[in-house]
Amino acid sequence: MAAVPGREASRTLPIGALFATSLLTAALLAAEAQRAVTYHRRTAEAVLRDYASLAAGEMIRRSATELGYRGCYTLIGALAREAERPDGLEGDVRARLARADPPTPAEAMTLLGTVFQWHGGRLDWMGPPLPADVQSWLSARLAAAGPAGQDAYVALQSNGAGEPRTFVYSPRPDGTACGFELSLPAVTQWLRQAFERGPLLPASLGHGRVTNAAVSVTVRDHGGVERFRSQLHEWPALGVEVPYGDVYSGVLRGSTVRISLDPAAASDLVIGGLPRSRLPALVALFVLTAGLLFTAARQLRRERALARLRTEFVANVSHELRTPLTQIRMFAETLRLDRVRSSEAQRRSLEILDKEARRLTNLVENALQFSRSERGTVLLAMEEQELAPLVDDVVRDFTPLLTGTGVVVRTRLEPGVRASVDPGALRQVLLNLLDNAVKYGPRQQEVHVDLAVGNGQARITVTDQGPGIPLRDRVRIFRRFERLERERQRAVAGAGIGLAVTRDLVVRHGGRCFVEDAEGSGSRFVVELPLSMAGDAGRGSQA
Ligand code: ADP
């Protein structure tokens, strides 16, 4: 009753497909969840960037208005008034502006660079002159400028001589003009004031909780020089860069403001905040699912292997039973029909009958014991006794089974070694080991059964001159249904439960059973049982 490979494959396929589908579903679910989180995050980031644009608009409006109105407009007005005087802009213009009536505010004066006048073709400097190329650039711009529009002044930005400059002038109807260079370093203070005047984000957006501490602002002039930075941190993913454009006569034209928002403030600005990536959790879940499926698959494979072993077991037991039964029937028949000629032949026939009946008994005993052990109904009747007579008895009983094998069993039994044992169980243990020694060893070999005290234990060994057990299989062979591959190839009958029963019984005695190398090629099976202590004699029956 060997397993049918075709049928197994047909069962493996749908189960494998089921597992693969489960794994694929888990992967798809994880990917879908990750996609949802990514989408949600992108949307939230886009909203936050919109808010950053709002803040940028507010920063531009504030700073341009303050600089343009309270700064440049005030200065241009004061300059124009001074220019109207009879002596024009001669002398120390700065001192005159400060003394003028009304006096020019000191705050506005910080912005005042070199003052200039344009007389319809000539540029005059009231202070240190500017580089020649900047002068000619400015002259060209002033010459090309039309009459004054609605704006009170005009702002011009240059990057001449590798340095950004801003000029502010007020054209007059007669084609002349007066103006000044805007001190760009002084702009920093004005930008700071604009920033500090209040939250850049409307209170309604962040429930009034989002202050400027969560907003990073950087302003660069038209030459790219940083003129203001509110803090060291920037959050580029949640930032925007907005140009100043022509706000307030273009006083900061060409400058840009870069604004980004602190992700920590996201929860106040967007419902649910910025969703955090669930990737590690999803990967962990996926790995867990894969692990569970893998474990399930392994378990299933084990179950199948066990089912196959059980099937083989039934086949093997039947096969093992068949040989002695055939022998018994054959010799019984011979005797019954009185076909035996000599009394010697008759004696041999009876010996064989006895031997096969014993083998059968041992086999059935093993099967029963195995079944009891599987069901957990093993009962041992322990009694403290000397082991040497017991072992000797078993060897004596086993001798008929050696008939025709040429095998000799020799014993060396130390007297006085006592242990608490179930005699029936110990008999079965030894019979199994002896049976294996004969079954797997060569004909004409010597099998030694020894009893001694070793390791503080009663030590019974069965040593044969057979092929031995490879090191890697020495644990495995004590498991149920396990047989060495060579036995299958040599077609040696066996069900693979003898050593499992042996080990089970020994362990129930509180001992242990293992195999080691014997001198030469053979194997030595060792049974160690706890020695009886003085006064331990009365231990009763137990499971
Ligand atoms: P069975 O003898 O029915 O196969 P056992 O549980 O008694 O089952 O033994 C398990 C396997 O261990 C055997 O199939 C055999 O391969 C190996 N084995 C057991 N005893 C010996 C031995 N004395 N020498 C060599 N191999 C052995």
Side-chain angles (χ1 to χ4, degrees):
M1 264 190 29
V4 186
R7 202 185 299 159
E8 262 205 17
S10 72
R11 261 187 264 137
T12 309
L13 216 64
I15 291 176
L18 217 69
F19 278 2
T21 313
S22 308
L23 204 63
L24 197 71
T25 312
L28 282 177
L29 279 176
E32 197 52 37
Q34 176 60 14
R35 214 175 62 84
V37 170
T38 310
Y39 176 74
H40 188 179
R41 188 177 174 92
R42 285 217 190 105
T43 312
E45 281 178 355
V47 170
L48 289 171
R49 276 197 297 273
D50 280 351
Y51 289 172
S53 300
L54 263 181
E58 174 64 9
M59 180 68 191
I60 288 173
R61 195 187 57 73
R62 271 188 211 173
S63 50
T65 308
E66 295 194 2
L67 196 71
Y69 181 67
R70 284 200 296 121
C72 297
Y73 181 69
T74 308
L75 278 177
I76 278 290
L79 262 183
R81 276 195 300 280
E82 287 304 309
E84 294 292 322
R85 294 184 195 284
D87 49 351
L89 288 176
E90 294 301 318
D92 187 349
V93 183
R94 191 173 286 274
R96 282 174 55 188
L97 285 176
R99 284 198 311 270
D101 182 24
T104 316
E107 187 190 25
M109 291 293 286
T110 58
L111 294 171
L112 190 69
T114 309
V115 174
F116 63 85
Q117 257 188 316
W118 171 250
H119 303 280
R122 208 184 73 233
L123 191 61
D124 288 335
W125 296 98
M126 321 294 147
L130 292 171
D133 58 339
V134 178
Q135 283 193 41
S136 52
W137 169 82
L138 186 59
S139 302
R141 295 300 300 268
L142 288 167
Q150 287 183 337
D151 291 345
Y153 59 82
V154 177
L156 290 175
Q157 275 79 17
S158 108
N159 256 319
E163 198 184 334
R165 295 170 191 273
T166 296
F167 300 97
V168 176
Y169 72 95
S170 140
R172 292 208 208 98
D174 61 0
T176 61
C178 68
F180 63 94
E181 184 186 0
L182 181 75
S183 161
L184 287 176
V187 168
T188 301
Q189 182 55 27
W190 288 74
L191 292 170
R192 173 164 296 115
Q193 276 175 17
F195 174 74
E196 287 170 355
R197 216 171 63 201
L200 288 174
L201 278 172
S204 57
L205 281 186
H207 311 285
R209 287 196 291 267
V210 182
T211 64
N212 281 353
V215 183
S216 168
V217 180
T218 309
V219 179
R220 290 179 188 278
D221 66 20
H222 57 278
V225 179
E226 186 176 297
R227 294 298 174 190
F228 172 67
R229 172 180 278 275
S230 67
Q231 56 171 298
L232 282 176
H233 286 294
E234 280 192 47
W235 301 278
L238 304 179
V240 289
E241 189 168 280
V242 182
Y244 267 77
D246 285 337
V247 184
Y248 228 95
S249 301
V251 67
L252 285 170
R253 189 185 298 115
S255 298
T256 53
V257 58
R258 209 165 65 220
I259 293 214
S260 57
L261 299 179
D262 185 349
S267 52
D268 288 325
L269 291 166
V270 193
I271 296 170
L274 261 186
R276 272 187 298 132
S277 169
R278 301 247 175 265
L279 203 59
L282 287 174
V283 169
L285 269 178
F286 179 72
V287 170
L288 188 73
T289 312
L292 286 176
L293 283 174
F294 177 73
T295 314
R298 225 173 56 168
Q299 197 57 30
L300 203 72
R301 217 180 52 223
R302 276 201 197 142
E303 293 291 334
R304 282 218 187 146
L306 205 63
R308 203 181 55 239
L309 285 176
R310 279 185 205 279
T311 315
E312 272 180 28
F313 167 68
V314 174
N316 287 344
V317 167
S318 315
H319 181 66
E320 245 193 309
L321 287 173
R322 196 187 290 146
T323 317
L325 281 175
T326 312
Q327 294 276 70
I328 289 171
R329 276 189 58 197
M330 202 172 79
F331 283 94
E333 191 89 337
T334 313
L335 288 172
R336 192 168 62 84
L337 297 177
D338 228 2
R339 287 202 195 124
V340 189
R341 286 187 201 99
S342 64
S343 61
E344 172 57 19
Q346 189 176 21
R347 193 183 57 78
R348 266 216 334 272
S349 295
L350 284 170
E351 264 176 17
I352 290 173
L353 274 176
D354 178 48
K355 169 182 158 185
E356 296 303 337
R358 279 171 197 267
R359 175 167 295 155
L360 213 53
T361 310
N362 192 25
L363 220 103
V364 172
E365 273 304 316
N366 261 346
L368 279 177
Q369 186 60 38
F370 177 71
S371 147
R372 272 185 227 123
S373 155
E374 289 277 286
R375 282 181 289 136
T377 55
V378 181
L379 276 178
L380 296 182
M382 309 288 257
E383 43 188 88
E384 199 245 299
Q385 54 187 279
E386 188 172 348
L387 295 182
L390 199 67
V391 176
D392 195 43
D393 220 30
V394 177
V395 173
R396 230 181 269 281
D397 280 357
F398 183 74
T399 313
L401 286 167
L402 299 174
T403 316
T405 62
V407 177
V408 183
V409 179
R410 302 204 186 286
T411 53
R412 260 180 316 211
L413 308 176
E414 191 178 310
V417 182
R418 299 179 71 81
S420 196
V421 293
D422 176 316
L426 189 63
R427 164 180 292 272
Q428 201 171 344
V429 165
L430 292 176
L431 284 179
N432 278 344
L433 297 181
L434 283 166
D435 189 45
N436 279 350
V438 175
K439 192 158 77 172
Y440 299 111
R443 300 175 77 84
Q444 316 295 338
Q445 67 168 332
E446 272 192 12
V447 174
H448 289 268
V449 179
D450 297 314
L451 164 69
V453 171
N455 293 339
Q457 309 265 315
R459 200 175 139 96
I460 306 169
T461 57
V462 178
T463 312
D464 61 42
Q465 294 172 332
I469 311 280
L471 208 58
R472 63 172 184 280
D473 294 317
R474 289 189 183 172
V475 173
R476 177 170 87 83
I477 53 165
F478 287 94
R479 294 194 201 120
R480 57 190 179 166
F481 310 135
E482 293 281 1
R483 305 194 71 209
L484 295 187
E485 198 49 43
R486 65 182 182 215
E487 268 50 274
R488 285 183 219 279
Q489 283 157 12
R490 284 180 1 191
V492 180
I497 57 167
L499 287 181
V501 166
T502 299
R503 194 191 64 155
D504 182 60
L505 288 174
V506 174
V507 169
R508 283 171 194 276
H509 278 78
R512 61 189 193 122
C513 181
F514 55 91
V515 64
E516 57 187 31
D517 280 329
E519 295 78 25
S521 67
S523 42
R524 173 180 296 128
F525 283 83
V526 184
V527 172
E528 283 184 354
L529 297 170
L531 280 171
S532 270
M533 300 294 149
D536 195 21
R539 228 164 10 133
S541 307
Q542 52 177 258

